[in-house]
Amino acid sequence: MGIEIEIKKRICSRQVFDNIDKALRSSPLVAFKQKRRMRDVFLDQNNKIHSWQPQFAVFRLRVADCIEPMTQEQRFIATVKCKATLIDGVSRAEEHEVLFQDPVATSLLQNPSPPIHALDNEFVEMQVLKRFHLDPAVGFSIFGEYTTIRTSFDMACWKDAIFQQHGVYETPILELDETIYSFGTAFEIELETAFPATVESLLMNFLTENACAEGVSKSKKSKFINFLNGNIDSHL
């Protein structure tokens, strides 16, 4: 399991979100990659995964459809995240992620209840069943789900600045997220990087230069915690 480090910035409103999207798309220094609709479905067995100690974990199955450019491509991505923290707008978590193929993904989404051992899937066996000490004779249940519309941008324009400070070339991918819950919609920027302080400074400089920084703050809670709480960035 690798460690995923991400900058997370909360965007206060649809208007600010749209202004940031427009600034990114119009910048000659930024390359648009794609826009995807992602259905995130969380699976569990008698709450054993989400109550895992020392910190809760998640087993997520993501269904991702590319909507810009429009294609017929559909991807199923299975993810286990453990020991997640979000401190001062920087998220760190142990993460293991693989592409799932049909029919395993479809069977889990349509009918997750059959015994886990019937799936005959190495990722489920090693990263979920054994890690969380689940019962192989019992199936999963769907714990909950939400949908995120994600627009991705290649920030290669920051590569030289990162190299000058750290001696490593890194091209961050900026993800502009609109997450739709049953209780409301959240807007966020996510940036995975090994150098969060440097990349955060580059991000805020870009937003300031494009008059988009007002209304952008450090996220207090992750998407999943917002889902559990039933509100956006509450301290509950």
Side-chain angles (χ1 to χ4, degrees):
M1 248 188 198
I3 302 297
E4 179 193 59
I5 304 173
E6 285 186 319
I7 298 166
K8 294 180 182 287
K9 292 286 189 182
R10 177 69 56 226
I11 302 171
C12 71
S13 68
R14 163 75 66 183
Q15 183 62 59
V16 176
F17 176 86
D18 288 344
N19 290 344
I20 294 171
D21 182 69
K22 182 178 179 181
L24 288 162
R25 288 175 181 266
S26 63
S27 173
L29 302 177
V30 176
F32 167 81
K33 286 177 65 65
Q34 62 185 7
K35 187 174 185 177
R36 287 187 176 272
R37 178 184 293 105
M38 305 184 306
R39 177 191 174 200
D40 286 345
V41 179
F42 297 90
L43 300 165
D44 208 335
Q45 185 188 87
N46 299 321
N47 205 34
K48 290 181 180 178
I49 298 176
H50 296 117
S51 61
W52 182 71
Q53 298 299 319
Q55 291 174 310
F56 77 88
V58 297
F59 172 36
R60 181 186 71 203
L61 185 56
R62 170 173 288 171
V63 185
D65 298 289
C66 193
I67 57 178
E68 188 183 348
M70 181 69 73
T71 71
Q72 297 301 312
E73 179 192 15
Q74 185 175 68
R75 302 172 71 193
F76 300 96
I77 305 160
T79 304
V80 170
K81 283 193 177 187
C82 305
K83 302 179 182 178
T85 63
L86 179 55
I87 300 171
D88 200 26
V90 178
S91 167
R92 290 177 171 84
E94 292 184 8
E95 181 180 85
H96 191 105
E97 189 168 89
V98 297
L99 283 174
F100 254 25
Q101 302 297 325
D102 273 341
V104 175
T106 300
S107 65
L108 275 173
L109 291 169
Q110 294 180 347
N111 183 19
S113 60
I116 292 175
H117 64 70
L119 289 171
D120 191 27
N121 180 270
E122 183 179 0
F123 177 84
V124 173
E125 180 180 351
M126 300 303 297
Q127 297 298 329
V128 185
L129 178 66
K130 292 184 177 180
R131 176 179 293 273
F132 303 115
H133 308 292
L134 304 186
D135 185 345
V138 177
F140 291 107
S141 60
I142 292 179
F143 184 82
E145 65 176 87
Y146 50 78
T147 297
T148 296
I149 309 299
R150 169 169 289 171
T151 309
S152 300
F153 299 90
D154 186 320
M155 307 303 291
C157 55
W158 295 346
K159 184 169 63 174
D160 289 341
I162 294 170
F163 180 80
Q164 289 173 6
Q165 295 194 44
H166 302 282
V168 175
Y169 281 114
E170 177 187 90
T171 302
I173 302 300
L174 188 153
E175 295 168 338
L176 192 60
D177 289 350
E178 174 185 353
T179 301
I180 303 162
Y181 302 101
S182 61
F183 51 83
T185 300
F187 304 101
E188 192 172 37
I189 294 169
E190 291 190 349
L191 274 157
E192 185 174 350
T193 175
F195 313 106
T198 300
V199 172
E200 181 182 21
S201 177
L202 292 167
L203 170 63
M204 295 312 298
N205 286 343
F206 175 87
L207 295 178
T208 300
E209 290 168 0
N210 287 275
C212 297
E214 188 173 349
V216 177
S217 59
K218 295 176 180 180
S219 295
K220 299 173 184 176
K221 302 292 180 183
S222 69
K223 290 180 175 67
F224 184 73
I225 295 298
N226 284 333
F227 161 72
L228 288 181
N229 288 346
N231 48 52
I232 298 166
D233 275 5
S234 167
H235 287 286
L236 296 177

